[in-house]
Amino acid sequence: MIKFKLNKEEELFIKLVKIGEDLKVACGSLRQLFVGVLNNEEDTVNSNIVKIKTVTERIAMSREETLSIIYGGAFLPDFKEAIVMLTQALYQTSAAIKDAARAVSSRKPAEKCLINLRESILSYLSTIDEASERLEDMLSKLSNDINEALKVGKEIQMLERSGDELKDMLISRLYSMEKDIDLITILQMRDVIFFLDDILDFMEDATLSIEVLYATLKS
């Protein structure tokens, strides 16, 4: 059997697509973890913590491999900078997913808080899931149609703005319960909401890196 060796650029884009696939898996596991917390299903929580940890470790490894390709290859400086920015944004997305999972599972929040925030949190997680699907799609288009990748990136940016609205509503609703629930739950859920916001923010950063890459290729 004849095997053709991939060039460095092809290898690079394959690594990025793999990170996108893993991020989609991690976001799905995060959603299931939250469902477990909301429904008081400890086994669901624990199994998805393990899944998220495994996937984020795999993403960290892919990041190192991607950076090794970038710094070891004869790429133009502007191209190299844009891909490093993209890789870092994807890695930070995975770190925010792990942080959100750790924050919500570190202790059981007050039941009243979970009941009041349930639907809004699930809507937020659905937005993150949708953004992760778009992110995977954007990265898969990057190597052969950057214009299409840019269009998908705009969709991610719109989802990030929707996420901002949900975040503001969640924070407002959380603080309205200050007199009825314990302070630790307030602080815990505030951190959870901000970590969820970070996930979408870093996904948006990834789309901005694509825009920088496009400007680099045009010049």
Side-chain angles (χ1 to χ4, degrees), residues 12 15-16 19 56-71 84 87-92 94:
L12 182 64
K15 293 288 184 187
L16 292 171
I19 293 175
T56 52
E57 287 175 352
R58 195 160 64 228
I59 290 170
M61 188 179 300
S62 295
R63 169 181 174 260
E64 294 305 312
E65 292 170 351
T66 302
L67 293 177
S68 178
I69 295 170
I70 277 288
Y71 289 118
V84 169
T87 304
Q88 187 61 16
L90 297 175
Y91 172 75
Q92 288 173 319
S94 73

mmCIF file with all atom_site columns, all heavy atoms in Angstrom, residues 12 15-16 19 56-71 84 87-92 94:
data_model
loop_
_atom_site.group_PDB
_atom_site.id
_atom_site.type_symbol
_atom_site.label_atom_id
_atom_site.label_alt_id
_atom_site.label_comp_id
_atom_site.label_asym_id
_atom_site.label_entity_id
_atom_site.label_seq_id
_atom_site.pdbx_PDB_ins_code
_atom_site.Cartn_x
_atom_site.Cartn_y
_atom_site.Cartn_z
_atom_site.occupancy
_atom_site.B_iso_or_equiv
_atom_site.pdbx_formal_charge
_atom_site.auth_seq_id
_atom_site.auth_comp_id
_atom_site.auth_asym_id
_atom_site.auth_atom_id
_atom_site.pdbx_PDB_model_num
ATOM 1   N N   . LEU A 1 12 ? -1.702  20.496 9.820  1.00 0.00 ? 12 LEU A N   1
ATOM 2   C CA  . LEU A 1 12 ? -2.134  21.548 10.738 1.00 0.00 ? 12 LEU A CA  1
ATOM 3   C C   . LEU A 1 12 ? -3.661  21.661 10.769 1.00 0.00 ? 12 LEU A C   1
ATOM 4   O O   . LEU A 1 12 ? -4.276  21.684 11.851 1.00 0.00 ? 12 LEU A O   1
ATOM 5   C CB  . LEU A 1 12 ? -1.513  22.873 10.292 1.00 0.00 ? 12 LEU A CB  1
ATOM 6   C CG  . LEU A 1 12 ? -1.787  24.107 11.127 1.00 0.00 ? 12 LEU A CG  1
ATOM 7   C CD1 . LEU A 1 12 ? -1.191  23.948 12.512 1.00 0.00 ? 12 LEU A CD1 1
ATOM 8   C CD2 . LEU A 1 12 ? -1.196  25.332 10.443 1.00 0.00 ? 12 LEU A CD2 1
ATOM 9   N N   . LYS A 1 15 ? -5.378  18.800 12.567 1.00 0.00 ? 15 LYS A N   1
ATOM 10  C CA  . LYS A 1 15 ? -5.293  18.962 14.028 1.00 0.00 ? 15 LYS A CA  1
ATOM 11  C C   . LYS A 1 15 ? -6.361  19.929 14.527 1.00 0.00 ? 15 LYS A C   1
ATOM 12  O O   . LYS A 1 15 ? -7.007  19.686 15.560 1.00 0.00 ? 15 LYS A O   1
ATOM 13  C CB  . LYS A 1 15 ? -3.914  19.480 14.425 1.00 0.00 ? 15 LYS A CB  1
ATOM 14  C CG  . LYS A 1 15 ? -2.759  18.524 14.182 1.00 0.00 ? 15 LYS A CG  1
ATOM 15  C CD  . LYS A 1 15 ? -2.779  17.375 15.165 1.00 0.00 ? 15 LYS A CD  1
ATOM 16  C CE  . LYS A 1 15 ? -1.561  16.479 14.980 1.00 0.00 ? 15 LYS A CE  1
ATOM 17  N NZ  . LYS A 1 15 ? -1.659  15.255 15.817 1.00 0.00 ? 15 LYS A NZ  1
ATOM 18  N N   . LEU A 1 16 ? -6.562  21.022 13.813 1.00 0.00 ? 16 LEU A N   1
ATOM 19  C CA  . LEU A 1 16 ? -7.555  22.020 14.224 1.00 0.00 ? 16 LEU A CA  1
ATOM 20  C C   . LEU A 1 16 ? -8.970  21.454 14.159 1.00 0.00 ? 16 LEU A C   1
ATOM 21  O O   . LEU A 1 16 ? -9.795  21.709 15.049 1.00 0.00 ? 16 LEU A O   1
ATOM 22  C CB  . LEU A 1 16 ? -7.435  23.272 13.349 1.00 0.00 ? 16 LEU A CB  1
ATOM 23  C CG  . LEU A 1 16 ? -6.155  24.098 13.545 1.00 0.00 ? 16 LEU A CG  1
ATOM 24  C CD1 . LEU A 1 16 ? -6.058  25.182 12.476 1.00 0.00 ? 16 LEU A CD1 1
ATOM 25  C CD2 . LEU A 1 16 ? -6.126  24.724 14.942 1.00 0.00 ? 16 LEU A CD2 1
ATOM 26  N N   . ILE A 1 19 ? -9.532  19.274 17.152 1.00 0.00 ? 19 ILE A N   1
ATOM 27  C CA  . ILE A 1 19 ? -9.828  20.058 18.350 1.00 0.00 ? 19 ILE A CA  1
ATOM 28  C C   . ILE A 1 19 ? -11.289 20.500 18.332 1.00 0.00 ? 19 ILE A C   1
ATOM 29  O O   . ILE A 1 19 ? -11.983 20.451 19.358 1.00 0.00 ? 19 ILE A O   1
ATOM 30  C CB  . ILE A 1 19 ? -8.896  21.281 18.458 1.00 0.00 ? 19 ILE A CB  1
ATOM 31  C CG1 . ILE A 1 19 ? -7.447  20.830 18.693 1.00 0.00 ? 19 ILE A CG1 1
ATOM 32  C CG2 . ILE A 1 19 ? -9.334  22.211 19.587 1.00 0.00 ? 19 ILE A CG2 1
ATOM 33  C CD1 . ILE A 1 19 ? -6.431  21.961 18.693 1.00 0.00 ? 19 ILE A CD1 1
ATOM 34  N N   . THR A 1 56 ? -10.595 17.437 27.565 1.00 0.00 ? 56 THR A N   1
ATOM 35  C CA  . THR A 1 56 ? -9.786  18.656 27.679 1.00 0.00 ? 56 THR A CA  1
ATOM 36  C C   . THR A 1 56 ? -8.295  18.327 27.724 1.00 0.00 ? 56 THR A C   1
ATOM 37  O O   . THR A 1 56 ? -7.479  19.097 27.208 1.00 0.00 ? 56 THR A O   1
ATOM 38  C CB  . THR A 1 56 ? -10.188 19.481 28.915 1.00 0.00 ? 56 THR A CB  1
ATOM 39  O OG1 . THR A 1 56 ? -10.170 18.659 30.085 1.00 0.00 ? 56 THR A OG1 1
ATOM 40  C CG2 . THR A 1 56 ? -11.580 20.064 28.750 1.00 0.00 ? 56 THR A CG2 1
ATOM 41  N N   . GLU A 1 57 ? -7.947  17.180 28.293 1.00 0.00 ? 57 GLU A N   1
ATOM 42  C CA  . GLU A 1 57 ? -6.544  16.745 28.264 1.00 0.00 ? 57 GLU A CA  1
ATOM 43  C C   . GLU A 1 57 ? -6.115  16.421 26.834 1.00 0.00 ? 57 GLU A C   1
ATOM 44  O O   . GLU A 1 57 ? -4.986  16.720 26.429 1.00 0.00 ? 57 GLU A O   1
ATOM 45  C CB  . GLU A 1 57 ? -6.344  15.530 29.170 1.00 0.00 ? 57 GLU A CB  1
ATOM 46  C CG  . GLU A 1 57 ? -6.389  15.873 30.652 1.00 0.00 ? 57 GLU A CG  1
ATOM 47  C CD  . GLU A 1 57 ? -6.317  14.643 31.542 1.00 0.00 ? 57 GLU A CD  1
ATOM 48  O OE1 . GLU A 1 57 ? -6.380  13.512 31.005 1.00 0.00 ? 57 GLU A OE1 1
ATOM 49  O OE2 . GLU A 1 57 ? -6.212  14.805 32.773 1.00 0.00 ? 57 GLU A OE2 1
ATOM 50  N N   . ARG A 1 58 ? -7.032  15.821 26.075 1.00 0.00 ? 58 ARG A N   1
ATOM 51  C CA  . ARG A 1 58 ? -6.733  15.504 24.678 1.00 0.00 ? 58 ARG A CA  1
ATOM 52  C C   . ARG A 1 58 ? -6.566  16.793 23.863 1.00 0.00 ? 58 ARG A C   1
ATOM 53  O O   . ARG A 1 58 ? -5.692  16.883 22.986 1.00 0.00 ? 58 ARG A O   1
ATOM 54  C CB  . ARG A 1 58 ? -7.858  14.641 24.108 1.00 0.00 ? 58 ARG A CB  1
ATOM 55  C CG  . ARG A 1 58 ? -7.502  13.958 22.803 1.00 0.00 ? 58 ARG A CG  1
ATOM 56  C CD  . ARG A 1 58 ? -8.403  12.773 22.548 1.00 0.00 ? 58 ARG A CD  1
ATOM 57  N NE  . ARG A 1 58 ? -9.806  13.154 22.382 1.00 0.00 ? 58 ARG A NE  1
ATOM 58  C CZ  . ARG A 1 58 ? -10.811 12.541 23.015 1.00 0.00 ? 58 ARG A CZ  1
ATOM 59  N NH1 . ARG A 1 58 ? -10.583 11.555 23.855 1.00 0.00 ? 58 ARG A NH1 1
ATOM 60  N NH2 . ARG A 1 58 ? -12.056 12.922 22.801 1.00 0.00 ? 58 ARG A NH2 1
ATOM 61  N N   . ILE A 1 59 ? -7.395  17.786 24.151 1.00 0.00 ? 59 ILE A N   1
ATOM 62  C CA  . ILE A 1 59 ? -7.279  19.074 23.460 1.00 0.00 ? 59 ILE A CA  1
ATOM 63  C C   . ILE A 1 59 ? -5.957  19.746 23.798 1.00 0.00 ? 59 ILE A C   1
ATOM 64  O O   . ILE A 1 59 ? -5.303  20.332 22.923 1.00 0.00 ? 59 ILE A O   1
ATOM 65  C CB  . ILE A 1 59 ? -8.474  19.985 23.819 1.00 0.00 ? 59 ILE A CB  1
ATOM 66  C CG1 . ILE A 1 59 ? -9.755  19.450 23.183 1.00 0.00 ? 59 ILE A CG1 1
ATOM 67  C CG2 . ILE A 1 59 ? -8.218  21.429 23.351 1.00 0.00 ? 59 ILE A CG2 1
ATOM 68  C CD1 . ILE A 1 59 ? -11.020 20.135 23.655 1.00 0.00 ? 59 ILE A CD1 1
ATOM 69  N N   . ALA A 1 60 ? -5.537  19.658 25.058 1.00 0.00 ? 60 ALA A N   1
ATOM 70  C CA  . ALA A 1 60 ? -4.254  20.240 25.461 1.00 0.00 ? 60 ALA A CA  1
ATOM 71  C C   . ALA A 1 60 ? -3.104  19.584 24.697 1.00 0.00 ? 60 ALA A C   1
ATOM 72  O O   . ALA A 1 60 ? -2.161  20.256 24.258 1.00 0.00 ? 60 ALA A O   1
ATOM 73  C CB  . ALA A 1 60 ? -4.056  20.080 26.965 1.00 0.00 ? 60 ALA A CB  1
ATOM 74  N N   . MET A 1 61 ? -3.200  18.275 24.507 1.00 0.00 ? 61 MET A N   1
ATOM 75  C CA  . MET A 1 61 ? -2.173  17.563 23.743 1.00 0.00 ? 61 MET A CA  1
ATOM 76  C C   . MET A 1 61 ? -2.193  17.988 22.276 1.00 0.00 ? 61 MET A C   1
ATOM 77  O O   . MET A 1 61 ? -1.134  18.222 21.662 1.00 0.00 ? 61 MET A O   1
ATOM 78  C CB  . MET A 1 61 ? -2.395  16.056 23.863 1.00 0.00 ? 61 MET A CB  1
ATOM 79  C CG  . MET A 1 61 ? -1.275  15.213 23.267 1.00 0.00 ? 61 MET A CG  1
ATOM 80  S SD  . MET A 1 61 ? -1.603  13.432 23.472 1.00 0.00 ? 61 MET A SD  1
ATOM 81  C CE  . MET A 1 61 ? -1.696  13.341 25.276 1.00 0.00 ? 61 MET A CE  1
ATOM 82  N N   . SER A 1 62 ? -3.398  18.115 21.712 1.00 0.00 ? 62 SER A N   1
ATOM 83  C CA  . SER A 1 62 ? -3.518  18.556 20.318 1.00 0.00 ? 62 SER A CA  1
ATOM 84  C C   . SER A 1 62 ? -2.972  19.965 20.144 1.00 0.00 ? 62 SER A C   1
ATOM 85  O O   . SER A 1 62 ? -2.371  20.285 19.114 1.00 0.00 ? 62 SER A O   1
ATOM 86  C CB  . SER A 1 62 ? -4.989  18.509 19.872 1.00 0.00 ? 62 SER A CB  1
ATOM 87  O OG  . SER A 1 62 ? -5.478  17.199 19.859 1.00 0.00 ? 62 SER A OG  1
ATOM 88  N N   . ARG A 1 63 ? -3.193  20.799 21.148 1.00 0.00 ? 63 ARG A N   1
ATOM 89  C CA  . ARG A 1 63 ? -2.654  22.164 21.112 1.00 0.00 ? 63 ARG A CA  1
ATOM 90  C C   . ARG A 1 63 ? -1.133  22.148 21.023 1.00 0.00 ? 63 ARG A C   1
ATOM 91  O O   . ARG A 1 63 ? -0.537  22.869 20.209 1.00 0.00 ? 63 ARG A O   1
ATOM 92  C CB  . ARG A 1 63 ? -3.095  22.919 22.364 1.00 0.00 ? 63 ARG A CB  1
ATOM 93  C CG  . ARG A 1 63 ? -2.398  24.260 22.574 1.00 0.00 ? 63 ARG A CG  1
ATOM 94  C CD  . ARG A 1 63 ? -2.913  24.894 23.859 1.00 0.00 ? 63 ARG A CD  1
ATOM 95  N NE  . ARG A 1 63 ? -2.195  26.117 24.188 1.00 0.00 ? 63 ARG A NE  1
ATOM 96  C CZ  . ARG A 1 63 ? -1.220  26.194 25.087 1.00 0.00 ? 63 ARG A CZ  1
ATOM 97  N NH1 . ARG A 1 63 ? -0.833  25.097 25.735 1.00 0.00 ? 63 ARG A NH1 1
ATOM 98  N NH2 . ARG A 1 63 ? -0.635  27.337 25.336 1.00 0.00 ? 63 ARG A NH2 1
ATOM 99  N N   . GLU A 1 64 ? -0.505  21.328 21.851 1.00 0.00 ? 64 GLU A N   1
ATOM 100 C CA  . GLU A 1 64 ? 0.956   21.244 21.826 1.00 0.00 ? 64 GLU A CA  1
ATOM 101 C C   . GLU A 1 64 ? 1.450   20.733 20.482 1.00 0.00 ? 64 GLU A C   1
ATOM 102 O O   . GLU A 1 64 ? 2.451   21.232 19.935 1.00 0.00 ? 64 GLU A O   1
ATOM 103 C CB  . GLU A 1 64 ? 1.439   20.331 22.957 1.00 0.00 ? 64 GLU A CB  1
ATOM 104 C CG  . GLU A 1 64 ? 1.176   20.862 24.356 1.00 0.00 ? 64 GLU A CG  1
ATOM 105 C CD  . GLU A 1 64 ? 1.745   22.259 24.562 1.00 0.00 ? 64 GLU A CD  1
ATOM 106 O OE1 . GLU A 1 64 ? 2.909   22.480 24.205 1.00 0.00 ? 64 GLU A OE1 1
ATOM 107 O OE2 . GLU A 1 64 ? 1.006   23.132 25.052 1.00 0.00 ? 64 GLU A OE2 1
ATOM 108 N N   . GLU A 1 65 ? 0.755   19.748 19.934 1.00 0.00 ? 65 GLU A N   1
ATOM 109 C CA  . GLU A 1 65 ? 1.143   19.202 18.624 1.00 0.00 ? 65 GLU A CA  1
ATOM 110 C C   . GLU A 1 65 ? 0.973   20.245 17.530 1.00 0.00 ? 65 GLU A C   1
ATOM 111 O O   . GLU A 1 65 ? 1.814   20.361 16.625 1.00 0.00 ? 65 GLU A O   1
ATOM 112 C CB  . GLU A 1 65 ? 0.300   17.962 18.315 1.00 0.00 ? 65 GLU A CB  1
ATOM 113 C CG  . GLU A 1 65 ? 0.602   16.786 19.226 1.00 0.00 ? 65 GLU A CG  1
ATOM 114 C CD  . GLU A 1 65 ? -0.392  15.647 19.073 1.00 0.00 ? 65 GLU A CD  1
ATOM 115 O OE1 . GLU A 1 65 ? -1.419  15.847 18.382 1.00 0.00 ? 65 GLU A OE1 1
ATOM 116 O OE2 . GLU A 1 65 ? -0.164  14.570 19.649 1.00 0.00 ? 65 GLU A OE2 1
ATOM 117 N N   . THR A 1 66 ? -0.107  21.015 17.612 1.00 0.00 ? 66 THR A N   1
ATOM 118 C CA  . THR A 1 66 ? -0.368  22.061 16.614 1.00 0.00 ? 66 THR A CA  1
ATOM 119 C C   . THR A 1 66 ? 0.702   23.147 16.677 1.00 0.00 ? 66 THR A C   1
ATOM 120 O O   . THR A 1 66 ? 1.225   23.584 15.640 1.00 0.00 ? 66 THR A O   1
ATOM 121 C CB  . THR A 1 66 ? -1.762  22.686 16.841 1.00 0.00 ? 66 THR A CB  1
ATOM 122 O OG1 . THR A 1 66 ? -2.753  21.661 16.770 1.00 0.00 ? 66 THR A OG1 1
ATOM 123 C CG2 . THR A 1 66 ? -2.057  23.746 15.789 1.00 0.00 ? 66 THR A CG2 1
ATOM 124 N N   . LEU A 1 67 ? 1.027   23.573 17.881 1.00 0.00 ? 67 LEU A N   1
ATOM 125 C CA  . LEU A 1 67 ? 2.061   24.602 18.034 1.00 0.00 ? 67 LEU A CA  1
ATOM 126 C C   . LEU A 1 67 ? 3.419   24.095 17.567 1.00 0.00 ? 67 LEU A C   1
ATOM 127 O O   . LEU A 1 67 ? 4.215   24.853 16.999 1.00 0.00 ? 67 LEU A O   1
ATOM 128 C CB  . LEU A 1 67 ? 2.138   25.063 19.495 1.00 0.00 ? 67 LEU A CB  1
ATOM 129 C CG  . LEU A 1 67 ? 0.908   25.823 20.014 1.00 0.00 ? 67 LEU A CG  1
ATOM 130 C CD1 . LEU A 1 67 ? 1.072   26.151 21.494 1.00 0.00 ? 67 LEU A CD1 1
ATOM 131 C CD2 . LEU A 1 67 ? 0.672   27.100 19.212 1.00 0.00 ? 67 LEU A CD2 1
ATOM 132 N N   . SER A 1 68 ? 3.669   22.810 17.785 1.00 0.00 ? 68 SER A N   1
ATOM 133 C CA  . SER A 1 68 ? 4.931   22.216 17.320 1.00 0.00 ? 68 SER A CA  1
ATOM 134 C C   . SER A 1 68 ? 5.017   22.255 15.791 1.00 0.00 ? 68 SER A C   1
ATOM 135 O O   . SER A 1 68 ? 6.079   22.557 15.223 1.00 0.00 ? 68 SER A O   1
ATOM 136 C CB  . SER A 1 68 ? 5.026   20.769 17.814 1.00 0.00 ? 68 SER A CB  1
ATOM 137 O OG  . SER A 1 68 ? 6.200   20.156 17.346 1.00 0.00 ? 68 SER A OG  1
ATOM 138 N N   . ILE A 1 69 ? 3.896   21.968 15.133 1.00 0.00 ? 69 ILE A N   1
ATOM 139 C CA  . ILE A 1 69 ? 3.864   22.041 13.666 1.00 0.00 ? 69 ILE A CA  1
ATOM 140 C C   . ILE A 1 69 ? 4.096   23.473 13.205 1.00 0.00 ? 69 ILE A C   1
ATOM 141 O O   . ILE A 1 69 ? 4.868   23.728 12.275 1.00 0.00 ? 69 ILE A O   1
ATOM 142 C CB  . ILE A 1 69 ? 2.517   21.519 13.123 1.00 0.00 ? 69 ILE A CB  1
ATOM 143 C CG1 . ILE A 1 69 ? 2.359   20.028 13.420 1.00 0.00 ? 69 ILE A CG1 1
ATOM 144 C CG2 . ILE A 1 69 ? 2.400   21.768 11.618 1.00 0.00 ? 69 ILE A CG2 1
ATOM 145 C CD1 . ILE A 1 69 ? 0.958   19.495 13.139 1.00 0.00 ? 69 ILE A CD1 1
ATOM 146 N N   . ILE A 1 70 ? 3.413   24.401 13.862 1.00 0.00 ? 70 ILE A N   1
ATOM 147 C CA  . ILE A 1 70 ? 3.514   25.820 13.489 1.00 0.00 ? 70 ILE A CA  1
ATOM 148 C C   . ILE A 1 70 ? 4.943   26.325 13.616 1.00 0.00 ? 70 ILE A C   1
ATOM 149 O O   . ILE A 1 70 ? 5.510   26.935 12.698 1.00 0.00 ? 70 ILE A O   1
ATOM 150 C CB  . ILE A 1 70 ? 2.576   26.669 14.371 1.00 0.00 ? 70 ILE A CB  1
ATOM 151 C CG1 . ILE A 1 70 ? 1.167   26.628 13.812 1.00 0.00 ? 70 ILE A CG1 1
ATOM 152 C CG2 . ILE A 1 70 ? 3.012   28.124 14.428 1.00 0.00 ? 70 ILE A CG2 1
ATOM 153 C CD1 . ILE A 1 70 ? 0.968   27.400 12.535 1.00 0.00 ? 70 ILE A CD1 1
ATOM 154 N N   . TYR A 1 71 ? 5.543   26.101 14.760 1.00 0.00 ? 71 TYR A N   1
ATOM 155 C CA  . TYR A 1 71 ? 6.888   26.647 15.007 1.00 0.00 ? 71 TYR A CA  1
ATOM 156 C C   . TYR A 1 71 ? 7.986   25.850 14.320 1.00 0.00 ? 71 TYR A C   1
ATOM 157 O O   . TYR A 1 71 ? 9.095   26.338 14.140 1.00 0.00 ? 71 TYR A O   1
ATOM 158 C CB  . TYR A 1 71 ? 7.152   26.725 16.510 1.00 0.00 ? 71 TYR A CB  1
ATOM 159 C CG  . TYR A 1 71 ? 6.337   27.805 17.192 1.00 0.00 ? 71 TYR A CG  1
ATOM 160 C CD1 . TYR A 1 71 ? 5.407   27.491 18.173 1.00 0.00 ? 71 TYR A CD1 1
ATOM 161 C CD2 . TYR A 1 71 ? 6.492   29.147 16.838 1.00 0.00 ? 71 TYR A CD2 1
ATOM 162 C CE1 . TYR A 1 71 ? 4.647   28.474 18.787 1.00 0.00 ? 71 TYR A CE1 1
ATOM 163 C CE2 . TYR A 1 71 ? 5.724   30.138 17.443 1.00 0.00 ? 71 TYR A CE2 1
ATOM 164 C CZ  . TYR A 1 71 ? 4.815   29.792 18.416 1.00 0.00 ? 71 TYR A CZ  1
ATOM 165 O OH  . TYR A 1 71 ? 4.065   30.775 19.021 1.00 0.00 ? 71 TYR A OH  1
ATOM 166 N N   . VAL A 1 84 ? -1.667  30.562 15.643 1.00 0.00 ? 84 VAL A N   1
ATOM 167 C CA  . VAL A 1 84 ? -1.369  30.497 17.087 1.00 0.00 ? 84 VAL A CA  1
ATOM 168 C C   . VAL A 1 84 ? -2.517  31.117 17.878 1.00 0.00 ? 84 VAL A C   1
ATOM 169 O O   . VAL A 1 84 ? -2.961  30.570 18.898 1.00 0.00 ? 84 VAL A O   1
ATOM 170 C CB  . VAL A 1 84 ? -0.034  31.198 17.411 1.00 0.00 ? 84 VAL A CB  1
ATOM 171 C CG1 . VAL A 1 84 ? 0.138   31.379 18.924 1.00 0.00 ? 84 VAL A CG1 1
ATOM 172 C CG2 . VAL A 1 84 ? 1.137   30.402 16.852 1.00 0.00 ? 84 VAL A CG2 1
ATOM 173 N N   . THR A 1 87 ? -5.440  28.648 17.764 1.00 0.00 ? 87 THR A N   1
ATOM 174 C CA  . THR A 1 87 ? -5.182  27.489 18.623 1.00 0.00 ? 87 THR A CA  1
ATOM 175 C C   . THR A 1 87 ? -5.351  27.846 20.094 1.00 0.00 ? 87 THR A C   1
ATOM 176 O O   . THR A 1 87 ? -5.933  27.082 20.878 1.00 0.00 ? 87 THR A O   1
ATOM 177 C CB  . THR A 1 87 ? -3.761  26.949 18.376 1.00 0.00 ? 87 THR A CB  1
ATOM 178 O OG1 . THR A 1 87 ? -3.604  26.647 16.989 1.00 0.00 ? 87 THR A OG1 1
ATOM 179 C CG2 . THR A 1 87 ? -3.500  25.693 19.188 1.00 0.00 ? 87 THR A CG2 1
ATOM 180 N N   . GLN A 1 88 ? -4.848  29.008 20.475 1.00 0.00 ? 88 GLN A N   1
ATOM 181 C CA  . GLN A 1 88 ? -4.960  29.435 21.865 1.00 0.00 ? 88 GLN A CA  1
ATOM 182 C C   . GLN A 1 88 ? -6.427  29.673 22.255 1.00 0.00 ? 88 GLN A C   1
ATOM 183 O O   . GLN A 1 88 ? -6.849  29.313 23.355 1.00 0.00 ? 88 GLN A O   1
ATOM 184 C CB  . GLN A 1 88 ? -4.146  30.710 22.091 1.00 0.00 ? 88 GLN A CB  1
ATOM 185 C CG  . GLN A 1 88 ? -4.044  31.151 23.546 1.00 0.00 ? 88 GLN A CG  1
ATOM 186 C CD  . GLN A 1 88 ? -3.365  30.129 24.449 1.00 0.00 ? 88 GLN A CD  1
ATOM 187 O OE1 . GLN A 1 88 ? -2.697  29.202 23.984 1.00 0.00 ? 88 GLN A OE1 1
ATOM 188 N NE2 . GLN A 1 88 ? -3.544  30.276 25.748 1.00 0.00 ? 88 GLN A NE2 1
ATOM 189 N N   . ALA A 1 89 ? -7.207  30.273 21.349 1.00 0.00 ? 89 ALA A N   1
ATOM 190 C CA  . ALA A 1 89 ? -8.635  30.512 21.624 1.00 0.00 ? 89 ALA A CA  1
ATOM 191 C C   . ALA A 1 89 ? -9.376  29.191 21.814 1.00 0.00 ? 89 ALA A C   1
ATOM 192 O O   . ALA A 1 89 ? -10.231 29.069 22.697 1.00 0.00 ? 89 ALA A O   1
ATOM 193 C CB  . ALA A 1 89 ? -9.264  31.321 20.493 1.00 0.00 ? 89 ALA A CB  1
ATOM 194 N N   . LEU A 1 90 ? -9.047  28.196 20.998 1.00 0.00 ? 90 LEU A N   1
ATOM 195 C CA  . LEU A 1 90 ? -9.687  26.886 21.125 1.00 0.00 ? 90 LEU A CA  1
ATOM 196 C C   . LEU A 1 90 ? -9.304  26.218 22.447 1.00 0.00 ? 90 LEU A C   1
ATOM 197 O O   . LEU A 1 90 ? -10.154 25.623 23.127 1.00 0.00 ? 90 LEU A O   1
ATOM 198 C CB  . LEU A 1 90 ? -9.289  25.996 19.947 1.00 0.00 ? 90 LEU A CB  1
ATOM 199 C CG  . LEU A 1 90 ? -9.722  26.477 18.554 1.00 0.00 ? 90 LEU A CG  1
ATOM 200 C CD1 . LEU A 1 90 ? -9.147  25.572 17.472 1.00 0.00 ? 90 LEU A CD1 1
ATOM 201 C CD2 . LEU A 1 90 ? -11.239 26.549 18.447 1.00 0.00 ? 90 LEU A CD2 1
ATOM 202 N N   . TYR A 1 91 ? -8.040  26.336 22.819 1.00 0.00 ? 91 TYR A N   1
ATOM 203 C CA  . TYR A 1 91 ? -7.586  25.764 24.090 1.00 0.00 ? 91 TYR A CA  1
ATOM 204 C C   . TYR A 1 91 ? -8.272  26.454 25.273 1.00 0.00 ? 91 TYR A C   1
ATOM 205 O O   . TYR A 1 91 ? -8.701  25.788 26.224 1.00 0.00 ? 91 TYR A O   1
ATOM 206 C CB  . TYR A 1 91 ? -6.064  25.901 24.200 1.00 0.00 ? 91 TYR A CB  1
ATOM 207 C CG  . TYR A 1 91 ? -5.539  25.509 25.556 1.00 0.00 ? 91 TYR A CG  1
ATOM 208 C CD1 . TYR A 1 91 ? -5.458  24.170 25.928 1.00 0.00 ? 91 TYR A CD1 1
ATOM 209 C CD2 . TYR A 1 91 ? -5.134  26.476 26.474 1.00 0.00 ? 91 TYR A CD2 1
ATOM 210 C CE1 . TYR A 1 91 ? -4.988  23.796 27.182 1.00 0.00 ? 91 TYR A CE1 1
ATOM 211 C CE2 . TYR A 1 91 ? -4.670  26.118 27.735 1.00 0.00 ? 91 TYR A CE2 1
ATOM 212 C CZ  . TYR A 1 91 ? -4.601  24.776 28.073 1.00 0.00 ? 91 TYR A CZ  1
ATOM 213 O OH  . TYR A 1 91 ? -4.149  24.421 29.320 1.00 0.00 ? 91 TYR A OH  1
ATOM 214 N N   . GLN A 1 92 ? -8.389  27.764 25.208 1.00 0.00 ? 92 GLN A N   1
ATOM 215 C CA  . GLN A 1 92 ? -9.041  28.506 26.287 1.00 0.00 ? 92 GLN A CA  1
ATOM 216 C C   . GLN A 1 92 ? -10.523 28.154 26.395 1.00 0.00 ? 92 GLN A C   1
ATOM 217 O O   . GLN A 1 92 ? -11.093 28.139 27.488 1.00 0.00 ? 92 GLN A O   1
ATOM 218 C CB  . GLN A 1 92 ? -8.856  30.008 26.075 1.00 0.00 ? 92 GLN A CB  1
ATOM 219 C CG  . GLN A 1 92 ? -7.430  30.478 26.329 1.00 0.00 ? 92 GLN A CG  1
ATOM 220 C CD  . GLN A 1 92 ? -7.212  31.934 25.954 1.00 0.00 ? 92 GLN A CD  1
ATOM 221 O OE1 . GLN A 1 92 ? -7.703  32.403 24.924 1.00 0.00 ? 92 GLN A OE1 1
ATOM 222 N NE2 . GLN A 1 92 ? -6.484  32.648 26.784 1.00 0.00 ? 92 GLN A NE2 1
ATOM 223 N N   . SER A 1 94 ? -11.719 25.169 25.835 1.00 0.00 ? 94 SER A N   1
ATOM 224 C CA  . SER A 1 94 ? -11.747 23.894 26.569 1.00 0.00 ? 94 SER A CA  1
ATOM 225 C C   . SER A 1 94 ? -11.494 24.114 28.055 1.00 0.00 ? 94 SER A C   1
ATOM 226 O O   . SER A 1 94 ? -12.116 23.444 28.900 1.00 0.00 ? 94 SER A O   1
ATOM 227 C CB  . SER A 1 94 ? -10.712 22.916 25.990 1.00 0.00 ? 94 SER A CB  1
ATOM 228 O OG  . SER A 1 94 ? -9.388  23.285 26.340 1.00 0.00 ? 94 SER A OG  1
#
